[in-house]
């Protein structure tokens, strides 16, 4: 009797301002890139149908949040009910890399996830296309960080050069799907919620 | 002014002069119970030929503007706390002061289309006119009335954001208005029932309260199928839960049906927050009550008090016939709407001898658990000369499955099916033996018409008794008077939430659908009902504020629409619009009245309104279920 609706995967993208969250999303969803920087206000919402492992189809609902501090008042509300959280840093910006951990903690504090230890994160190091001299975050440091946060998958990407974006999002989708199905079957439905009726009790308030 | 009714006098009187009404051409199964004071239909010119008006200019405005075509006379809101007479005097003054130039054209019994509909067709308007969304508190889509997932997903994010903005800023108001040039274009109303969020969008004349009521009904539907306790449990500790996987295809079908009927059907039930009641003779209704009562109080059953909670007999179109209830307990209107919606949409395919045992959560009764409903459709009973024969003489065109009444017995005990079955069988047998199903069938088809009431100039009205939370209205005939066969097939419930939806194909799968002419008539009728509904919505919202509260404890408001005769080109048929309507809200009743096009005599209309109120009060015993059968 199930309605055979596609799975919906809520994916939230976090990271410092200007690391390329919106660009990554646009590259992934519409395969486009714009040189111009435009700060995201509040959040952007994009949708993409994904096919994983050949046959599993789902609809990915990407919530691209604003990195700027001043848009954060609503920000935490967006975390609720995410199936996967993507943490983005800029390989040319050491501060954005250091902040990955605090973004993750912030997410766990506000998202109210059932099991924080197993909640899927994916880390993306963006702007891989820039010349080597400008890169300040070493691959080694990134791998260490990913490992220390619980073997979080790490991808080095470039939204501009379209490097690794699809691969990264496929991993994100797979993780999200796993998370969304983790306890979907843990519920048995029956109509056992009996109501105790006391007919001689006080009159009910409803008019009819 | 309420006179005691001489029951026998009216009952025994034969109908002396009602042969003029078109419906009487059909074989009469039941004489109309209202045969005193019959007036001729208030028609002088029939504009039927000009009826279906394609796209019409938008002639109304929510607030009076400098537009010359809309004259809002709603300013004459008067308080009548003191007495009737004061009200009259004040009204007389306002009427005199606002007397308009009499119009020269003839009075029409047809009402013009004055409300803008997207692309002219009420059956298929642009989604921009009306939308419903349901999403989880995590922003995951659950349901949307229009649009594919991919399209609405982003909108869900925005709805989510707005809802959270309201939450963060602790805003009491949960609605937004998109206006352009001082005119309201769309209203957006949000209902946060964490873990789900609902939003309605409307470009019509509905108030915030109207939309909230509609959202509450959608929410109540979800609760009726899932229960609040289960819903909370499903989302507890996993905000990412996808409720769409828990709901069934039937649930989505029902949501579609509810949304469609709210948006395009004729549903005063939501607007008024009341149930429609089937007009029956007082003695007939009492017999129904007694039959239910006697079977419930049968010694074998009565021993197990608490087995049965409620019993209901309901006629097609969700018209209440009889209610059985424990002393001091009643069911909420919304709960009954939900129940009727299920019966008359989903379960009309039941055979006469089939029974249904169905768990339903009644959200207003108790949202945390399920009650169990024994549902059985009551067979059509067309007897020839009281012989008790069934079915054989049912006309072909009359086998519309949506026209079956139903018996519902409600219990809190899951195991009590056989006890309910026994009571149910006893009730059905007795109803058949006493030929009461025939009476119910006939009453639900014929009801009463404007010709039964001495109220001239009135096209249609709705009278709600606030005490009973029920309303009545004259029968809505299909316009095809020339085909007398179909007069039987009164499509009162067309487009109502209590009828089979077109989407499931049942309604159009009969032999009728082979007749393109009838299809045309049906769609015309649907368009007419839709038009009427918008009139009622508009005039009601002229007398109440956005929260649905009347401006005064008692309010009498005239609303008038007229087009400028200097610019007749605005209407394709050159039809002059001069529509007068009246809303009369008091602590005891609500009257909504729409006049024939061309009527401008307010004194006469006010007199008609009073006649209607008098008539409804006089006939209260027939029009409404008063106490029901109490055990």
């Amino acid at each position: 009797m199930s309605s055979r609706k596609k799975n919906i995967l809520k994916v939230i993208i976090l990271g410092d301002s200007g690391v390329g969250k919106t660009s990554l999303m646009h590259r992934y969803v519409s395969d486009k890139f714009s040189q111009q920087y435009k700060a995201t206000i509040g959040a952007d919402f994009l949708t993409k149908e994904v096919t994983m492992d050949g046959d599993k189809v789902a609809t990915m609902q990407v919530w691209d949040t604003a990195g700027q501090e001043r848009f954060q008042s609503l920000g935490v509300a967006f975390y609720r009910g995410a199936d996967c959280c993507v943490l983005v840093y800029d390989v040319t910006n050491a501060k954005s890399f250091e902040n990955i951990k605090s973004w993750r903690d912030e997410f766990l504090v506000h998202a109210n996830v059932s099991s924080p230890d197993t909640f899927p994160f994916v880390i993306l190091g963006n702007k891989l296309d820039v010349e080597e001299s400008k890169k300040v975050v070493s691959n080694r440091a990134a791998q260490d960080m990913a490992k220390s946060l619980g073997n979080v998958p790490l991808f080095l990407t470039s939204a501009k050069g379209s490097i690794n974006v699809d691969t990264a999002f496929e991993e994100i989708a797979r993780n999200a799907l796993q998370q969304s199905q983790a306890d979907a079957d843990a519920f048995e439905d029956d109509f056992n919620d009996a109501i105790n009726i006391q007919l001689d009790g006080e009159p009910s308030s409803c008019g009819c | 002014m309420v006179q005691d009714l001489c029951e026998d006098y009216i009952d025994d009187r034969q109908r002396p002069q009602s042969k003029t009404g078109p419906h009487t051409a059909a074989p009469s199964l039941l004489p109309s119970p209202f045969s005193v004071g019959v007036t001729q239909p208030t028609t002088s010119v029939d504009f039927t030929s000009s009826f279906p008006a394609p796209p019409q200019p938008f002639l109304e405005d929510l607030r009076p503007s400098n537009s010359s075509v809309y004259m809002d006379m709603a300013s004459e809101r008067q308080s009548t706390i003191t007495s009737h007479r004061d009200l009259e005097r004040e009204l007389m003054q306002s009427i005199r002061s606002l007397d308009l130039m009499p119009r020269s054209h003839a009075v029409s019994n047809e009402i013009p289309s004055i409300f803008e509909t997207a692309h002219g067709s009420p059956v298929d308007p642009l989604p921009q006119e009306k939308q419903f969304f349901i999403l989880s508190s995590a922003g995951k889509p659950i349901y949307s009335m229009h649009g594919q997932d991919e399209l609405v997903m982003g909108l869900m994010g925005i709805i989510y954001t707005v809802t959270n903005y309201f939450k963060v800023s602790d805003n009491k108001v949960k609605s937004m208005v998109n206006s352009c040039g001082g005119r309201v274009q769309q209203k957006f109303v949000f209902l946060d029932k964490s873990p789900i969020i609902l939003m309605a969008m409307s470009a019509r004349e509905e108030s915030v309260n109207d939309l909230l009521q509609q959202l509450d009904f959608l929410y109540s539907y979800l609760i009726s199928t899932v229960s609040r306790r289960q819903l909370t449990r499903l989302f507890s500790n996993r905000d990412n839960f996808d409720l769409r996987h828990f709901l069934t295809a039937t649930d989505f079908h029902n949501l579609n049906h509810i949304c469609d009927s709210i948006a395009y059907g004729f549903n005063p039930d939501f607007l008024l927050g009341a149930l429609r009641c089937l007009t029956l003779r007082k003695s007939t209704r009492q017999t129904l009550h007694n039959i239910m009562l006697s079977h419930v109080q049968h010694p074998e059953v009565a021993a197990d008090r608490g087995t049965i909670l409620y019993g209901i007999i309901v006629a097609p179109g969700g018209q209440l016939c009889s209610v059985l209830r424990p002393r001091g307990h009643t069911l909420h209107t919304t709960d009954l709407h939900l129940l009727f919606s299920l019966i008359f949409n989903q379960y009309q395919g039941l055979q006469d001898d089939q029974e249904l045992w169905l768990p339903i959560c009644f959200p207003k009764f108790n949202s945390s658990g399920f009650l169990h409903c024994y549902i059985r459709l009551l067979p059509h009973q067309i007897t020839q000369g009281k012989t008790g024969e069934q079915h054989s003489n049912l006309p072909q065109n009359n086998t519309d499955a949506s026209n079956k009444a139903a018996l519902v017995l409600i219990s809190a005990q899951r195991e009590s099916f056989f006890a309910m079955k026994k009571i149910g069988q006893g009730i059905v047998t007795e109803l058949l033996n006493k030929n009461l199903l025939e009476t119910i069938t006939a009453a639900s088809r014929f009801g009463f018409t404007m010709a039964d009431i001495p109220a001239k100039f009135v096209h249609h009205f709705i009278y709600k008794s606030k005490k009973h939370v029920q309303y009545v209205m004259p029968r809505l005939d299909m316009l095809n008077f020339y085909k007398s066969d179909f007069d039987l097939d009164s499509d009162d419930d067309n487009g109502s939430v209590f009828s089979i939806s077109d989407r499931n194909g049942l309604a159009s799968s009969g032999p009728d659908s082979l007749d393109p002419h009838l299809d045309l008539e049906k769609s015309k009728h649907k368009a007419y009902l839709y038009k009427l509904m918008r009139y009622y919505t508009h005039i009601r919202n002229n007398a109440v504020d956005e929260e649905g509260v009347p401006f005064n404890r008692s309010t009498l408001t005239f609303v008038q629409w007229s087009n400028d005769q200097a610019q007749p080109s605005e209407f394709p048929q050159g039809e002059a619009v001069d529509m007068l309507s009246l809303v009369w809200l008091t602590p005891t009743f609500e009257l909504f009245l729409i006049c024939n096009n061309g009527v401008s005599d307010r004194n006469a209309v006010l007199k008609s309104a009073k006649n209607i109120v008098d008539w409804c009060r006089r006939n209260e015993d027939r029009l409404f279920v008063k106490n029901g059968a109490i055990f």
Side-chain angles (χ1 to χ4, degrees), chain A residues 3 5-8 10 45 47 49 59 61 63 77 80-81 83 114 183 191-193 195 200 203-204 206 208, chain B residues 138-141 150 153 157 160-161 237-240 244-245 250 305 328-331 366 369-370 414 468:
Chain A
S3 45
K5 300 254 182 197
K6 268 175 265 170
N7 276 300
I8 294 164
K10 177 173 174 176
F45 311 97
T47 309
E49 197 160 292
T59 309
Q61 189 185 19
W63 297 54
R80 188 171 176 185
D83 293 306
S114 50
D183 42 9
F191 299 102
N192 264 333
D193 295 339
I195 299 174
D200 303 314
S204 68
C206 313
C208 163
Chain B
K140 284 196 180 185
E150 290 69 25
M153 204 84 79
Y160 178 84
T161 311
N237 270 327
R238 40 181 185 157
D239 291 332
N240 60 336
R244 301 198 307 176
H245 289 290
T250 310
R305 186 170 159 81
H329 292 258
T330 53
L331 273 175
N366 186 333
F370 290 87
R414 190 160 68 155
H468 306 107

Side-chain angles (χ1 to χ4, degrees), chain B residues 3-22:
Chain B
Q3 292 158 22
D4 282 328
L5 176 69
C6 178
E7 188 80 21
D8 294 334
Y9 172 68
I10 294 179
D11 274 351
D12 295 338
R13 181 112 168 234
Q14 290 303 304
R15 296 182 302 159
Q17 47 163 298
S18 59
K19 290 216 160 27
T20 47

Side-chain angles (χ1 to χ4, degrees), chain B residues 95-113:
Chain B
I95 287 167
R96 252 179 248 117
S97 66
L98 283 159
D99 215 3
L100 293 169
M101 296 261 290
R103 293 289 178 133
S104 54
H105 62 76
V107 170
S108 160
N109 76 335
E110 193 46 66
I111 56 172
S113 305

Side-chain angles (χ1 to χ4, degrees), chain B residues 276-279 313-321 340 344 443-444 492:
Chain B
R276 189 171 170 200
C277 188
L278 184 71
T279 305
I313 296 173
V314 57
Q319 298 183 75
L320 201 60
C321 305
F340 298 166
F344 294 109
S444 69
D492 257 17

Side-chain angles (χ1 to χ4, degrees), chain B residues 30 35 51 74 95 108 111 117 170 174 187 190 200 211 223 258 270 292 314-315 363 376 539:
Chain B
L30 179 80
S35 34
F51 171 50
I95 287 167
S108 160
I111 56 172
T117 51
D170 199 21
K174 303 282 195 283
K187 277 183 191 154
F190 302 81
L211 296 172
I223 294 301
I258 291 170
F270 297 118
M292 289 220 278
V314 57
R376 189 164 163 180
I539 62 176

Side-chain angles (χ1 to χ4, degrees), chain B residues 57-290:
Chain B
F58 190 49
L59 282 185
E60 65 86 24
D61 202 328
L62 282 178
R63 292 286 168 263
S65 63
N66 52 5
S67 160
S68 63
V69 291
Y70 179 75
M71 290 177 229
D72 188 1
M73 300 302 165
S75 50
E76 323 147 356
R77 297 178 187 114
Q78 305 291 345
S79 169
T80 59
I81 306 166
T82 47
S83 83
H84 214 96
R85 197 158 293 157
D86 286 359
L87 171 70
E88 258 174 61
R89 197 174 53 240
E90 287 174 51
L91 269 166
M92 289 305 291
Q93 286 168 357
S94 63
I95 287 167
R96 252 179 248 117
S97 66
L98 283 159
D99 215 3
L100 293 169
M101 296 261 290
R103 293 289 178 133
S104 54
H105 62 76
V107 170
S108 160
N109 76 335
E110 193 46 66
I111 56 172
S113 305
I114 56 168
F115 297 102
E116 191 176 61
T117 51
H119 286 184
S121 164
V123 189
D124 181 32
L126 287 176
Q128 279 83 351
E129 193 178 288
K130 188 102 189 170
Q131 253 289 26
F132 291 107
F133 292 111
I134 306 176
L135 53 152
S136 78
S137 287
K140 284 196 180 185
I142 294 171
Y143 172 80
S144 77
M145 184 185 180
H146 300 288
Q148 296 298 309
D149 276 358
E150 290 69 25
L151 283 168
V152 301
M153 204 84 79
L155 295 175
M156 298 278 183
I158 295 167
I159 296 166
Y160 178 84
T161 311
V162 173
T163 315
N164 278 288
Y165 170 77
F166 284 141
K167 219 183 252 171
V168 168
S169 57
D170 199 21
N171 210 329
K172 285 274 182 292
V173 186
K174 303 282 195 283
S175 65
M176 302 193 305
V177 166
N178 171 28
S179 57
C180 174
R183 210 178 96 175
V184 174
Q185 301 280 333
Q186 284 115 12
K187 277 183 191 154
F188 304 85
V189 177
F190 302 81
L191 183 62
D192 188 353
K193 294 275 187 186
S194 182
I196 62 175
I197 296 168
L198 302 96
M199 194 207 84
M201 189 281 287
S202 170
R204 298 184 189 162
E205 43 290 311
E206 293 155 302
S207 70
V208 170
N209 183 61
D210 292 341
L211 296 172
L212 269 180
Q213 294 303 318
Q214 295 166 7
L215 289 180
D216 185 68
F217 192 73
L218 288 177
Y219 169 73
S220 297
Y221 172 75
L222 283 179
I223 294 301
S224 78
T225 176
V226 181
S227 97
R228 178 74 206 181
R229 181 190 290 182
Q230 206 166 40
L231 190 72
T232 314
R233 212 186 294 161
L234 285 170
F235 281 95
S236 72
N237 270 327
R238 40 181 185 157
D239 291 332
N240 60 336
F241 184 73
D242 192 348
L243 189 65
R244 301 198 307 176
H245 289 290
F246 188 78
L247 299 175
T248 64
T250 310
D251 289 323
F252 287 101
H253 170 80
N254 285 338
L255 284 171
N256 277 336
H257 175 64
I258 291 170
C259 287
D260 278 356
S261 60
I262 289 175
Y264 312 119
F266 186 75
N267 283 305
D269 306 69
F270 297 118
L271 186 67
L272 306 176
L275 290 168
R276 189 171 170 200
C277 188
L278 184 71
T279 305
L280 289 171
R281 289 184 185 183
K282 186 182 179 185
S283 57
T284 308
R285 183 144 15 236
Q286 195 54 50
T287 311
L288 291 179
H289 291 343
N290 290 343

